[in-house]
Amino acid sequence: MEDLLKRIKSCKRCVVLTGAGVSAESGVPTFRGKEGLWGKFRPEELATMDAFMANSSIVWEWYNWRRELLGKVQPNPGHFAMSEMEQLFDSFCLITQNVDSLHQAAGSKEVLELHGNILRNKCADCSSPFLDEGDIDPDAIPKCKKCGGKIRPDVVWFGELLNEQVINSAFEESEQADIFFSVGTSALVHPAASLPVAAKRHGAILVEINVEPTPISEMADFCFNLPSGQFLPDMVANLKSERVADQ
Ligand code: OAD
Ligand code: ZN
């Protein structure tokens, strides 16, 4: 930690990329690993356009279950620490693969959501946002008011492209970063997993926080094998007390 704190002092532009691991301490299941969603469910049956076309009700039941689960959880100390990090750098950018809105709930203002947001809906045909509030009935899925297409969750499914503007901004920010934190992500899913690599190639200090090693661990300048909800509040407290001491 000491070495990292020294190096952070000279960093003006900070980028943080998060994955499902940052929400694990809130009680949201991750995707991979023994207890992960992809250990229990088959992504090709639930998280692809083909699956939605073949059996929209089952897909909606699964998303309703995940929404219900999210209704019961709160941001954890890791989320709050990341929202405080906004104040500690001249420029700060938070990029997430999570669809759970927990960063926003913790006070993070601008979040680049690479994989969409599970609480939003859109048309499966024309992508128009569907803003009606209320639950989606899997047996009576609402239709798009513009084109009559079926309404689906506004998340990125396997085989789909990310929102171009969002991913372009994420690369731009990452390439300009002085320091890049990869937090709670298995760093296996691209293009998100290319962001830390791009940052490092453009000269950023790469820091990984994950309870397990990942494919980017070897390239990282610092690796902390700790839960993000433990490591980040500690780091932020240290940064804040250094600031006070410097003033
Ligand atoms: P994964 O489930 O692949 O990885 C979660 C990572 O978090 C693992 O590397 C764990 O070791 C780590 N982890 C678990 N608990 C942690 C904790 N308390 N603190 C720090 N790290 C912890 O989730 P993602 O990397 O987010 O895509 O997965 C990427 C994408 O794959 C997801 O956005 C989703 C999925 O398919 C879409 O839905 C498009
Ligand atoms: Zn439509």
Side-chain angles (χ1 to χ4, degrees):
M1 174 77 93
E2 287 294 299
D3 282 355
L4 173 65
L5 294 170
K6 268 187 222 150
R7 299 280 304 273
I8 291 181
K9 277 197 167 179
S10 61
C11 295
K12 291 194 162 45
R13 301 183 73 95
C14 173
V15 173
V16 178
L17 169 71
T18 65
V22 304
S23 296
E25 289 158 87
S26 293
V28 182
T30 59
F31 292 93
R32 294 170 186 81
K34 265 185 279 156
E35 297 299 315
L37 292 172
W38 297 152
K40 297 183 182 131
F41 302 99
R42 291 164 64 86
E44 60 274 29
E45 286 170 9
L46 296 166
T48 65
M49 190 52 131
D50 284 351
F52 185 71
M53 286 309 166
N55 202 337
S56 323
S57 332
I58 289 196
V59 171
W60 262 117
E61 268 171 34
W62 193 64
Y63 278 94
N64 282 344
W65 168 73
R66 286 179 61 197
R67 281 182 179 181
E68 210 179 296
L69 203 144
L70 288 177
K72 296 180 195 144
V73 304
Q74 300 293 331
N76 67 60
H79 292 108
F80 288 110
M82 286 183 266
S83 92
E84 286 198 69
M85 283 171 77
E86 270 178 18
Q87 314 300 324
L88 299 174
F89 297 89
D90 289 357
S91 152
F92 180 82
C93 176
L94 181 58
I95 307 168
T96 190
Q97 297 164 85
N98 300 344
V99 295
D100 58 22
S101 287
L102 287 177
H103 284 301
Q104 291 90 335
S108 285
K109 284 186 200 75
E110 281 184 41
V111 186
L112 292 178
E113 293 180 311
L114 297 179
H115 294 163
N117 189 304
I118 199 171
L119 305 175
R120 286 194 309 252
N121 302 316
K122 68 175 183 183
C123 171
D125 290 345
C126 74
S127 291
S128 298
F130 182 76
L131 301 172
D132 280 15
E133 291 192 11
D135 298 338
I136 301 288
D137 178 353
D139 298 319
I141 298 166
K143 297 265 158 47
C144 171
K145 286 173 183 140
K146 280 196 185 152
C147 78
K150 272 189 199 170
I151 298 305
R152 56 165 278 183
D154 189 359
V155 295
V156 175
W157 281 334
F158 286 94
E160 292 184 327
L161 294 174
L162 276 61
N163 176 296
E164 206 178 312
Q165 229 176 323
V166 175
I167 187 67
N168 287 347
S169 305
F171 271 103
E172 239 168 66
E173 291 284 350
S174 302
E175 288 169 4
Q176 289 172 29
D178 298 318
I179 188 157
F180 186 106
F181 290 85
S182 178
V183 191
T185 174
S186 57
L188 289 169
V189 176
H190 290 269
S194 304
L195 295 169
V197 181
K200 172 86 184 160
R201 200 184 317 122
H202 284 79
I205 300 166
L206 179 57
V207 185
E208 180 174 60
I209 300 145
N210 195 309
V211 290
E212 285 173 3
T214 75
I216 64 159
S217 304
E218 272 190 18
M219 156 198 330
D221 298 283
F222 295 92
C223 261
F224 297 96
N225 289 130
L226 288 168
S228 48
Q230 184 183 324
F231 178 82
L232 289 172
D234 195 19
M235 181 187 84
V236 166
N238 274 296
L239 287 172
K240 281 162 80 178
S241 65
E242 270 183 5
R243 282 213 156 184
V244 173
D246 287 349
Q247 274 166 6

